[in-house]
């Protein structure tokens, strides 16, 4: 749950970054792709999902503290990605979502 | 509000940086203690370890008015005991010793403060009570002021949330300062606020004194009803079966483990054994306490805190201490602590870069900043080196380790004051990185454990993990030194962030 929460938080923050003009240009986000508003909604949605995933992992008071840290870690990763491998923020989006969903499904099934 | 952010940040910035970095290291206080006592290799159950330690204390410290023990746990394999012992000059003070979990004895274990030194330094700054705590409290309040005025001053932090532009001198320092400050902002605010709150009884004593006056005994009794402490009778009585009392306490802890154990008036007929549940599986600091009459083994009291106001304080304090178990939480605290230290360091460097270098005062401030920012991690590394290099049987070696920490810090600051800041920074960071990088090797030679001692990957996880962390820290130090030295400044004295 922790890993899928981190993946989903990274995807959410990457979407939020892509909703900003500078970073969309940096990452080569195509003009035909979903617009800034859609990115923003998707980003916040993914962040909420990552919180839900970690809380589903149990012990909610500690889960909330941990999730705050997870988002911080994800933000640092997204920032470094945008700085040194900007296009990766775009290409990694779909794999991040898929991996997060797969992991969560796997853990829920076990 | 920019002037407030700049000046409030500078006023106690050096101190806040030292406090933040030592606090970050303290996240791994238990593990650090194990690393610094490589002689302890055995493991024992908590009940057996505590019983063995109590047997030893009955022989070693029968005259002490009380004994305090931290039971071994998953993060720390020694039983840490503290008791009152006579000093050479006739006075008495509390002694901290690590006891082997199996034998309960300190024989053969090197004398060291372990993780306790950086923990104490974090809020006492090696100054006498109450001055160190007052100064740390003032630094914490200044950090809060700086954080809040910083959010106002750096208006663009949310617009620039993901922005880091390397290779642009002061611009890059500012980006690093903003990003490090903002990604862990909830942590920074929480840790500053709860840090100030943890010392609030010292800084704002009037609420308690208005209610209780000089009757501190009643204040303690009402604030912590679990801490039963009867008066001594003066009659001696042998203890009943300690193991049974400990097992009874564990059975009342709902699956929890033993945290602390205290014996009040050991050997006396009125002696009590207080067993406090470990708070490692909950957010709040402190947990249920079960108290037994030592002579009969009968339960005297069982207390679990449920008053909302006290619970709130315990949770806020617990958030600061970050002792709850998930390993991930410890690493997130460690990384966030590094981010806070780096935010303060980059802020201090920005302050010196934004001011006229020709003025004597500014030149002095910027050089001391270099000395402290690079000197603190160097001094922590020196403290760990001292643990490995000083002979395990040397008299007063625990104090010698601490002295080496301060000597190295002082030397770093003196060197930085004598050097142009750019050169001083580069050389100190290279030295700092090399010191961390070489530590695993020195440790392997001195103890035969860890990454370079071969083989024992499975059994020696702590030592291997520590070595890997030291290598990463050392590599980061060298990388920062190289990147900042390589940058050719358009104007004199500009450095670039690598963090």
């Amino acid at each position: 749950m922790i890993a899928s929460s981190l993946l989903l938080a990274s995807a959410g923050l990457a979407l939020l970054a892509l909703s900003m003009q500078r970073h969309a240009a940096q990452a080569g986000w195509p003009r035909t792709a979903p617009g800034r508003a859609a990115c923003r909604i998707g980003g916040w949605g993914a962040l909420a999902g990552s919180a839900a995933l970690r809380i589903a992992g149990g012990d909610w008071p500690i889960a909330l503290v941990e999730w705050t840290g997870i988002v911080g870690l994800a933000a640092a990763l997204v920032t470094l990605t945008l700085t040194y491998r900007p296009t990766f923020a775009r290409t990694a989006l779909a794999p991040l979502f898929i991996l997060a969903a797969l992991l969560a499904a796997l853990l829920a099934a076990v | 509000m920019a002037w407030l952010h700049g000046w409030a940040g500078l006023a106690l910035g050096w101190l806040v940086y030292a406090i933040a970095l030592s606090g970050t290291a303290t996240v791994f206080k238990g593990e650090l203690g194990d690393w610094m006592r490589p002689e302890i290799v055995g493991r024992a159950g908590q009940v057996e370890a505590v019983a063995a330690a109590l047997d030893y204390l009955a022989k070693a410290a029968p005259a002490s008015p009380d004994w305090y023990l931290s039971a071994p746990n998953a993060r720390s394999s020694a039983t840490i005991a503290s008791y009152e012992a006579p000093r050479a000059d006739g006075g008495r003070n509390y002694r901290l010793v690590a006891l082997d979990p199996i034998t309960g004895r300190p024989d053969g274990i090197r004398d060291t403060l372990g993780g306790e030194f950086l923990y104490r330094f974090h809020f006492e700054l090696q100054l006498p009570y109450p001055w160190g705590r007052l100064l740390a409290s003032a630094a914490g309040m200044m950090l809060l002021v700086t954080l809040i005025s910083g959010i106002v001053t750096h208006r663009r932090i949310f617009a620039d949330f993901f922005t880091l532009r390397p290779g642009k001198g002061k611009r890059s320092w500012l980006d690093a300062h903003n990003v490090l400050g903002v990604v862990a902002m909830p942590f920074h605010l929480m840790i500053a606020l709860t840090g100030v709150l943890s010392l609030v009884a010292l800084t704002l004593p009037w609420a308690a004194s208005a209610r209780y006056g000089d009757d501190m005994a009643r204040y303690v009794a009402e604030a912590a009803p679990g801490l039963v402490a009867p008066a001594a009778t003066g009659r001696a009585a042998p203890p009943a079966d300690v193991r049974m009392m400990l097992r009874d306490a564990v059975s009342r802890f709902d699956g929890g483990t033993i945290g602390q154990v205290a014996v009040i008036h050991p050997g006396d007929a009125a002696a009590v054994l207080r067993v406090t549940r470990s708070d490692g599986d909950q957010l709040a600091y402190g947990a249920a306490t079960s108290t037994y009459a030592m002579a009969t083994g009968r339960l005297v009291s069982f207390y679990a805190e449920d008053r909302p106001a006290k619970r709130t304080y315990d949770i806020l304090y617990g958030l600061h201490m970050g002792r709850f178990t998930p390993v991930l939480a410890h690493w997130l605290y460690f990384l966030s602590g590094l981010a806070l230290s780096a935010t303060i360091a980059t802020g201090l460097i920005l302050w010196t870069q934004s001011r006229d270098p020709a003025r004597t005062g500014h030149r002095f401030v910027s050089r001391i900043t270099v000395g402290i920012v690079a000197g603190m991690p160097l001094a922590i590394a020196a403290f760990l080196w001292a643990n490995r290099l000083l002979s395990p049987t040397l008299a007063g070696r625990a104090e010698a380790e601490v002295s080496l920490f301060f000597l190295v810090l002082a030397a770093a600051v003196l060197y930085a004051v004598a050097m142009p800041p750019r050169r001083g920074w580069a050389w100190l960071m290279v030295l700092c990185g090399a010191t961390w990088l070489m530590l695993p090797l020195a440790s392997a030679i001195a103890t035969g454990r860890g990454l370079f001692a071969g083989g024992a990957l499975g059994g020696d996880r702590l030592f291997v993990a520590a070595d890997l962390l030291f290598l990463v820290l050392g590599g980061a130090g060298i990388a920062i030194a190289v990147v900042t030295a390589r940058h050719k400044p358009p104007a004199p004295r500009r450095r670039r962030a690598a963090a």
Side-chain angles (χ1 to χ4, degrees):
Chain A
M1 286 303 165
I2 290 161
S4 57
S5 176
L6 177 64
L7 292 174
L8 202 55
S10 308
L13 287 169
L15 269 178
L16 283 178
L18 292 171
S19 77
M20 299 157 101
Q21 212 158 23
R22 184 212 315 257
H23 301 304
Q26 245 181 333
W29 191 241
R31 287 189 190 284
T32 51
R36 299 174 63 170
C39 281
R40 187 160 293 179
I41 293 166
W44 284 112
L47 275 185
S50 100
L53 274 178
R54 178 58 193 90
I55 289 165
D59 205 350
W60 69 267
I62 291 178
L64 282 180
V65 176
E66 244 184 43
W67 178 74
T68 315
I70 289 172
V71 173
L73 184 60
L77 292 175
V78 170
T79 306
L80 289 175
T81 309
L82 282 169
T83 306
Y84 295 102
R85 293 277 179 279
T87 53
F88 191 64
R90 169 169 55 84
T91 51
L93 262 183
L96 276 178
F97 275 113
I98 295 169
L99 221 70
L102 272 179
L103 258 177
L106 196 76
L107 287 168
V110 170
Chain B
M1 215 182 271
W3 65 271
L4 178 65
H5 183 58
W7 286 101
L10 183 78
L12 288 169
W14 297 331
L15 205 56
V16 178
Y17 172 74
I19 291 173
L21 207 60
S22 53
T24 303
T26 298
V27 171
F28 293 117
K29 177 168 173 256
E31 289 86 349
L32 197 57
D34 270 11
W35 188 87
M36 294 180 82
R37 298 183 189 99
E39 292 85 5
I40 299 178
V41 285
R43 291 234 163 209
Q46 288 194 314
V47 169
E48 291 308 314
V50 170
L54 290 177
D55 277 347
Y56 167 74
L57 287 174
K59 285 178 221 107
S64 172
D66 37 30
W67 303 329
Y68 294 95
L69 295 173
S70 290
N73 55 43
R75 307 182 56 196
S76 161
S77 48
T79 312
I80 309 291
S82 101
Y83 58 85
E84 208 185 86
R87 262 198 328 252
D89 63 6
R92 308 176 69 80
N93 61 352
Y94 274 85
R95 253 195 83 189
L96 187 86
V97 288
L99 304 177
D100 188 277
I102 295 170
T103 63
R105 303 182 59 81
D107 315 325
I109 301 172
R110 64 185 64 196
D111 189 19
T112 175
L113 290 178
E116 189 75 12
F117 164 61
L118 288 171
Y119 167 65
R120 290 271 156 191
F121 179 78
H122 174 65
F123 65 96
E124 290 182 335
L125 304 165
Q126 205 73 4
L127 294 172
Y129 182 86
W131 303 109
R133 290 179 186 220
L134 281 176
L135 201 56
S137 191
M141 291 178 203
M142 209 54 102
L143 176 60
L144 257 184
V145 169
T146 313
L147 282 171
I148 291 164
S149 57
I151 297 171
V152 178
T153 304
H154 301 291
R155 273 169 315 224
R156 289 187 47 81
I157 46 174
F158 293 104
D160 285 348
F161 196 103
F162 301 105
T163 306
L164 188 63
R165 284 156 288 192
K168 292 206 170 65
K170 197 180 145 192
R171 171 88 257 163
S172 308
W173 281 112
L174 187 60
D175 280 348
H177 181 65
N178 288 346
V179 167
L180 288 164
V182 82
V183 295
M185 179 67 77
F187 173 85
H188 300 338
L189 287 170
M190 176 279 284
I191 214 77
L193 178 70
T194 54
V196 170
L197 280 178
S198 71
L199 293 171
V200 80
L202 183 68
T203 48
L204 296 173
W206 302 287
S209 62
R211 173 107 165 73
Y212 297 100
D214 292 330
D215 193 359
M216 288 319 276
R218 196 161 69 84
Y219 167 59
V220 171
E222 287 190 14
L227 301 185
V228 180
T233 60
R235 280 181 293 111
D241 187 354
V242 171
R243 285 177 180 77
M244 215 148 81
M245 294 180 240
L246 291 168
R247 272 195 287 270
D248 181 76
V250 172
S251 73
R252 292 167 194 276
F253 288 161
D254 278 323
T257 56
I258 300 175
Q260 270 80 41
V261 175
V263 179
I264 312 297
H265 310 310
D268 192 271
V272 292
L273 175 79
R274 280 199 316 239
V275 189
T276 303
R277 184 185 190 279
S278 163
D279 53 9
D281 57 351
Q282 59 183 36
L283 213 49
Y285 177 85
T289 301
S290 206
T291 309
Y292 301 87
M294 201 64 171
T296 61
R298 261 210 308 277
L299 181 73
V300 177
S301 93
F302 179 83
Y303 185 78
E305 188 59 64
D306 57 358
R307 296 169 296 176
K310 185 70 175 27
R311 283 290 289 172
T312 308
Y313 180 80
D314 285 351
I315 287 176
L316 288 172
Y317 190 29
L319 269 175
H320 190 88
M321 300 294 277
R323 298 208 295 201
F324 33 94
T325 311
V327 179
L328 175 75
H330 293 151
W331 282 102
L332 290 174
Y333 263 67
F334 183 72
L335 289 176
S336 304
L338 282 182
L340 177 59
S341 311
T343 308
I344 299 164
T346 49
L348 285 169
I349 288 166
L350 276 167
W351 192 95
T352 64
Q353 291 196 334
S354 310
R355 277 154 188 87
D356 181 9
R359 284 179 56 181
T360 318
H362 291 158
R363 199 163 56 212
F364 200 59
V365 167
S366 62
R367 290 178 180 203
I368 294 185
T369 297
V370 165
I372 288 182
V373 169
M376 264 304 286
L378 180 64
I380 295 176
F383 176 63
L384 301 184
W385 269 84
N387 178 268
R388 288 303 189 247
L389 291 189
L390 295 175
S391 157
T393 53
L394 182 75
R397 74 183 299 293
E399 293 76 20
E401 285 176 12
V402 173
S403 305
L404 212 74
F405 172 90
F406 287 107
L407 279 176
V408 167
L409 184 59
V413 172
L414 283 179
Y415 173 79
V417 168
M419 281 280 152
R422 262 180 71 82
R423 271 189 49 208
W425 170 258
W427 283 114
L428 276 178
M429 280 317 276
V430 165
L431 183 64
C432 176
T435 311
W436 282 104
L437 275 178
M438 302 286 280
L439 185 53
L441 204 62
S443 168
I445 292 168
T447 65
R449 294 177 67 178
L451 199 58
F452 296 113
L457 253 172
D460 230 353
R461 278 201 355 229
L462 170 72
F463 275 64
V464 172
D467 284 349
L468 289 174
L469 176 64
F470 298 156
L471 291 177
V472 169
L473 291 175
I478 300 275
I480 292 173
V482 168
V483 167
T484 46
R486 216 189 263 156
H487 178 66
K488 291 277 171 287
R493 245 175 17 85
R494 278 193 180 176
R495 282 160 253 136
R496 162 181 158 336

